[in-house]
Amino acid sequence: MRHPAPQPHSTPAPEPDPLEPLALLRRELGTGARGLSGREAERRLAVYGPNEVRSTAGESVWRELTRQLAHPLALLLWAAGALAFIADIAVLGWAIVAVILVNAGFALLQERQAEHAVETLARYLPEHARVVRDGRTLDVLAKELVPGDIVLIEEGDKIPADARLTEGGVEADLSMLTGESAPVDRFAGPALQGKPLLEEPNLVFSGTTCTGGQAQAIVFATGSHTELGRIAALSQRTRREPSPLEQQVKRVAWLIAAAAVAIGVAFLLIGWMIGLPLTDALMFAIGLLVANVPEGLLPTITLALAVGVRLLARQGAVVKRLSAVETLGSTSVICTDKTGTLTQNRMRLQAAWTPGHGTETGPWTAGLAEAMAECTTVTRDERGDLHGDPTEAALVAGAAALGGAPDLTRRDERRTALFRFDPRLRLMSTLVRPEPGSDHFRLVVKGAPESVLARTADAGAGNGHDVSRARAAAEDLARQGMRVLAVADRELSEPPEHREQAERELRLLGLVGLYDPPRPEVAAAVRRCHDAGLRVHIVTGDNGATAAAVAEEVGIGRPELLVVQESERVTDRELDDLLITGPDSEIVFARSSPETKLKVADTLRAHGRIVAMTGDGVNDAPALHRAHIGVAMGRSGTDVAREAATMVLTDDNFATIVTAVESGRRVYDNVRKFIVYIFAHLTPEAVPFLVFALSAGTVPLPLTVLQILAIDLGTETLPALALGRERAEPGVMKRPPRSSRQSIISPAMLVRGWGYLGAVSAVLVMTGYFYVLWRAGWQPGDPTGPGSELHHAYLTATTATFAGIVTCQVGTAMAARTEHASLRQIGVFSNTLLLYGIAFEIAFTAVLVYVPLFQRMFGTAALPVDVIALITIFPVIVWGTDEMRRWTVRRRALRREDPTPMRPEVAAPGVEKRR
């Protein structure tokens, strides 16, 4: 017996032994063939709790807060605070400590909100389980399962709880529990005593996946009492790894900190050597350290990524990791399925071909219609709607149109065996007993024409008449954009032991052509991909001619379309030639297997391409894992594919992938805009202290440390956050993909922020400062301290410096909104949040300048009208000079543009070129 474990809510009966005889297990669990009643299931849910594994340990808030307090930017502020206390400026020291705590708390809040946003998105993808309750098959949330439930399992499902099989058999992937990658067989039957539970052939376990087969099972453990729950209880929760973007920013933060400390120490020594009082020298060092700290850098990046995740969710793309938003922006290749992604996944019968009559319809098509409906697994609900694979639903509906209306209930009663579709064989077959008690059996097969025709009785001759005509007919239908299936049968005197023994010497019944029209929005999405420099390849199990017809209809194939007819046979060297060293063509990989997808993803990754790969089946999981962005289908995809993917499309639409790429580019650009905005203010904040130090104190300090803190944490914050929500810049999808090795902070950005916007702002604010002093008759070296004649003029001058930096921030914010385009192109008033942020910083500045309490606290004074008029033009000058710079850059770029040189074409075996 398994040892009982503490249960939530109340104390239920001890857990049963899943290895005991099935009848005894049913009795202990109080369930039968009809399953539990709904009311009993509700009672057990209250006793056992939800079927979910709760985290037993996680990083505490205090530990996360400590990490924020030890961030390199925070360490820089700690150093500044320590210097303030050493210089006996306690008020300033405590103010800096308060800034550190507020900034850390804000960053922590943003991280928590971002994590919560991602966790909330899980509601878009509720995991369900099919159970038998009150004798009916129901679809319930997996977390509502209870011991005693009868669950139904089939290919592609994630096992929802620990259960014992009672009927049928499955192939299960237990790698997450055992570490063994090879799937294992699980089937109903007696237990093998003496083996560990994980090796018992009749048990399946929560969190593992069904990779094949169908079965019914009885749940014996849920939630924390499953094998997965027991392992989780012994494990610590994995800490969230920082994204590449955050790692890059942290490295830059260390660089900034090191530079600021080095400069501070150097000027501290210089000040001491030239005889500057220690208090003044320390004040300079403190100001330099504080001025070089971009306090809101990390919180705003996290917020920008979280906003991107939320926007994508509303657009139909559920992103499971914040860092994936950044990766999407650098995607250079999209490998997509055809059916359901490029097309509407609404198959309908377009044509039927029979050996004796070609595409003519008549009584002779009834046999084909009956057979193609026989070889399906779709079901019909009470309203008569078909449920299951869209292709099979189209076959059943088409059979009715051809005069062979199928009885699906009788179909299931006659069936004695089912060989599910095998992507390697490209076949599916069913074994039926035509009449109850009959000694004869009939095998019905459907699949790819080349696979079925190769197994017909006439194929042995190599050129049988019907086979040759069928091949020609299949090619003709495929060229018309249809998905072509061949249907055949065979009479047997006894059930075959193996599939290979059955699917041979077949009799061809005919061909069916199914048409799945492309989604109307895909053609425009493909054009946007081409404009953005993205290549689009189709990796499909369908016929090459069919896939090529769809590709040409939606515009895939620029500058030409290459069709690999048998992609499974392509070698690694040929893949290199096709995908990397050959012409920049787009490719259809036809008749591909899941292994083909994996090989394509590996080849592209090995050569530095950023790959987005779509998939929906169980076997697509390795390729989805391997691609930088695995994209699973939310509607038609399996649980396994959705779990392996980075992004899930709730609408299964290719156009949504392109929208996600654009959103990723927008988020990346917005982070860079924010960094430029932040860095542009470091120069005008640092220059006043440099002027003070280099003049050996003959020029009084133009800016106080408290005023810097008011800028960095007061006036700067809201506009910075607003830049993180800026709309996509015009032309964002006209640029080639950025390199994966490109740093988030480039030398050009530093030149623009520190050396251009920052330098212009520094000149302007120092002009305002000296204007106020010279207006009052000040000369270098004149006393400006309390009690002196020029003290009020000095307060007014420092206030002009402070207010001047704020107004320069307004111009910098408007300039930073675009990296390439003009402000007119994106619209002056298009970012409403930024306008509110600018209004707030102006109001905040007015409070600090004109309210007496804050005047005493921050050392400010009311500004005269002429000074206000002077600093009012600062935003226009800052923005205008940068607008002229961007105009010059655009003109130079246009002159430098040259035609792209032609690349040599590469010929590969089995590749068809379509212009």
Side-chain angles (χ1 to χ4, degrees), residues 298-575:
L298 283 181
T300 303
I301 288 174
T302 304
L303 181 63
L305 294 175
V307 168
V309 167
R310 292 192 189 101
L311 289 175
L312 283 173
R314 287 200 289 269
Q315 293 167 338
V318 179
V319 178
K320 294 159 67 176
R321 292 198 313 267
L322 284 180
S323 58
V325 179
E326 171 204 355
T327 309
L328 277 164
S330 58
T331 299
S332 56
V333 180
I334 299 176
C335 298
T336 176
D337 285 327
K338 179 182 71 68
T339 304
T341 308
L342 298 178
T343 64
Q344 298 178 26
N345 206 14
R346 295 177 182 171
M347 288 282 187
R348 63 175 184 268
L349 184 68
Q350 187 86 351
W353 180 93
T354 54
H357 299 84
T359 55
E360 295 180 15
T361 56
W364 49 84
T365 58
L368 173 63
E370 185 269 335
M372 68 189 197
E374 189 78 53
C375 195
T376 60
T377 57
V378 292
T379 58
R380 200 185 295 276
D381 62 19
E382 296 174 355
R383 296 181 301 177
D385 296 332
L386 293 169
H387 295 275
D389 182 80
T391 300
E392 294 193 347
L395 291 175
V396 171
L402 290 175
D407 184 338
L408 299 185
T409 302
R410 190 164 177 271
R411 174 203 65 183
D412 294 340
E413 291 173 351
R414 293 197 305 263
R415 181 171 298 162
T416 61
L418 169 67
F419 299 114
R420 291 188 172 274
F421 178 77
D422 188 316
R424 293 182 180 86
L425 300 175
R426 298 196 289 274
L427 293 174
M428 171 190 171
S429 55
T430 59
L431 187 68
V432 300
R433 193 192 299 266
E435 298 295 336
S438 172
D439 293 333
H440 295 281
F441 298 87
R442 183 191 184 202
L443 183 79
V444 182
V445 181
K446 79 170 190 295
E450 56 268 35
S451 297
V452 174
L453 293 175
R455 290 166 172 80
T456 60
D458 292 337
N463 59 356
H465 182 62
D466 286 346
V467 172
S468 300
R469 292 180 60 236
R471 286 199 177 102
E475 291 174 5
D476 184 57
L477 294 175
R479 278 194 294 270
Q480 298 175 46
M482 297 183 213
R483 182 181 182 187
V484 186
L485 296 175
V487 183
D489 68 352
R490 179 189 179 191
E491 299 294 332
L492 296 169
S493 58
E494 60 182 16
E497 292 185 10
H498 302 288
R499 179 173 192 164
E500 293 76 11
Q501 296 174 341
E503 294 171 340
R504 63 184 185 183
E505 298 180 3
L506 304 174
R507 177 175 63 106
L508 179 66
L509 297 175
L511 305 173
V512 290
L514 303 172
Y515 183 67
D516 184 10
R519 291 177 180 269
E521 64 275 14
V522 168
V526 170
R527 284 196 298 272
R528 293 176 66 204
C529 286
H530 292 158
D531 291 342
L534 275 68
R535 295 173 71 186
V536 183
H537 304 311
I538 298 177
V539 189
T540 177
D542 214 337
N543 174 274
T546 303
V550 172
E552 290 169 354
E553 193 167 349
V554 299
I556 295 174
R558 185 171 142 181
E560 65 180 359
L561 184 68
L562 304 182
V563 182
V564 182
Q565 297 290 356
E566 296 291 335
S567 57
E568 285 187 0
R569 300 178 184 176
V570 177
T571 65
D572 289 343
R573 169 172 272 184
E574 290 169 351
L575 271 180

Side-chain angles (χ1 to χ4, degrees), residues 4 64 100 125 173 214 405 679 684 722 750 770 812 838 848:
E64 290 184 20
I100 296 170
L125 304 169
D173 178 4
Q214 287 180 312
F679 280 16
L750 296 180
F770 284 119
T812 303
I838 290 172
L848 267 58

Side-chain angles (χ1 to χ4, degrees), residues 545-829:
T546 303
V550 172
E552 290 169 354
E553 193 167 349
V554 299
I556 295 174
R558 185 171 142 181
E560 65 180 359
L561 184 68
L562 304 182
V563 182
V564 182
Q565 297 290 356
E566 296 291 335
S567 57
E568 285 187 0
R569 300 178 184 176
V570 177
T571 65
D572 289 343
R573 169 172 272 184
E574 290 169 351
L575 271 180
D576 286 340
D577 289 340
L578 286 167
L579 293 168
I580 307 300
T581 61
D584 286 328
S585 302
E586 290 174 325
I587 305 169
V588 170
F589 292 96
R591 296 303 186 207
S592 65
S593 66
E595 288 78 6
T596 307
K597 284 189 173 183
L598 185 58
K599 286 170 65 177
V600 169
D602 271 333
T603 301
L604 291 168
R605 280 190 68 118
H607 293 275
R609 307 298 195 269
I610 305 299
V611 190
M613 174 76 72
T614 70
D616 55 10
V618 174
N619 292 332
D620 289 333
L624 296 179
H625 268 302
R626 187 62 178 150
H628 295 91
I629 298 291
V631 184
M633 303 298 112
R635 292 180 179 175
S636 60
T638 60
D639 289 342
V640 181
R642 286 194 289 264
E643 189 173 350
T646 310
M647 183 171 75
V648 180
L649 304 182
T650 58
D651 55 3
D652 292 10
N653 194 341
F654 176 84
T656 305
I657 304 175
V658 184
T659 301
V661 171
E662 180 179 7
S663 184
R665 291 189 176 191
R666 178 186 61 79
V667 169
Y668 185 84
D669 285 353
N670 286 351
V671 170
R672 290 166 65 92
K673 293 171 186 176
F674 163 77
I675 292 173
V676 168
Y677 173 76
I678 290 292
F679 280 16
H681 306 147
L682 301 183
T683 304
E685 289 176 358
V687 164
F689 291 89
L690 294 177
V691 171
F692 169 69
L694 295 175
S695 68
T698 57
V699 175
L701 192 63
L703 189 68
T704 70
V705 176
L706 283 177
Q707 288 169 354
I708 289 178
L709 294 178
I711 292 169
D712 288 352
L713 291 176
T715 64
E716 186 175 82
T717 304
L718 284 183
L721 294 176
L723 285 174
R725 295 191 175 206
E726 188 70 42
R727 294 178 184 176
E729 188 173 337
V732 69
M733 291 297 281
K734 300 284 186 181
R735 309 196 301 255
R738 65 180 173 86
S739 169
S740 58
R741 293 183 293 273
Q742 178 182 324
S743 173
I744 185 70
I745 300 177
S746 65
M749 289 172 59
L750 296 180
V751 169
R752 184 187 180 197
W754 282 339
Y756 194 85
L757 290 169
V760 171
S761 298
V763 169
L764 291 175
V765 298
M766 292 308 299
T767 299
Y769 174 72
F770 284 119
Y771 169 76
V772 174
L773 286 180
W774 285 331
R775 178 175 171 271
W778 170 85
Q779 296 293 325
D782 288 351
T784 56
S788 66
E789 231 179 89
L790 294 172
H791 182 60
H792 185 267
Y794 169 69
L795 292 179
T796 305
T798 58
T799 304
T801 305
F802 165 68
I805 291 177
V806 173
T807 56
C808 285
Q809 280 182 328
V810 175
T812 303
M814 300 305 286
R817 291 183 62 194
T818 170
E819 187 176 354
H820 306 284
S822 66
L823 183 62
R824 180 177 56 82
Q825 287 179 279
I826 63 173
V828 177
F829 305 107

Side-chain angles (χ1 to χ4, degrees), residues 68-122:
Q68 295 293 342
L69 295 175
H71 189 273
L73 300 181
L75 294 176
L76 196 59
L77 285 177
W78 282 118
L83 289 175
F85 285 111
I86 291 173
D88 199 24
I89 314 174
V91 173
L92 178 58
W94 287 117
I96 292 175
V97 170
V99 167
I100 296 170
L101 295 176
V102 169
N103 188 55
F106 179 72
L108 176 63
L109 178 64
Q110 290 300 334
E111 276 197 15
R112 288 280 171 157
Q113 286 184 342
E115 289 177 2
H116 179 67
V118 175
E119 290 169 3
T120 303
L121 294 178

Side-chain angles (χ1 to χ4, degrees), residues 76 80 259-268 282-293 682 685-687 689-690 705 708:
L76 196 59
V261 170
I263 295 172
V265 170
F267 276 93
L268 186 64
L282 286 174
M283 178 67 73
F284 161 72
I286 294 168
L288 198 61
L289 290 177
V290 173
N292 277 280
V293 177
L682 301 183
E685 289 176 358
V687 164
F689 291 89
L690 294 177
V705 176
I708 289 178

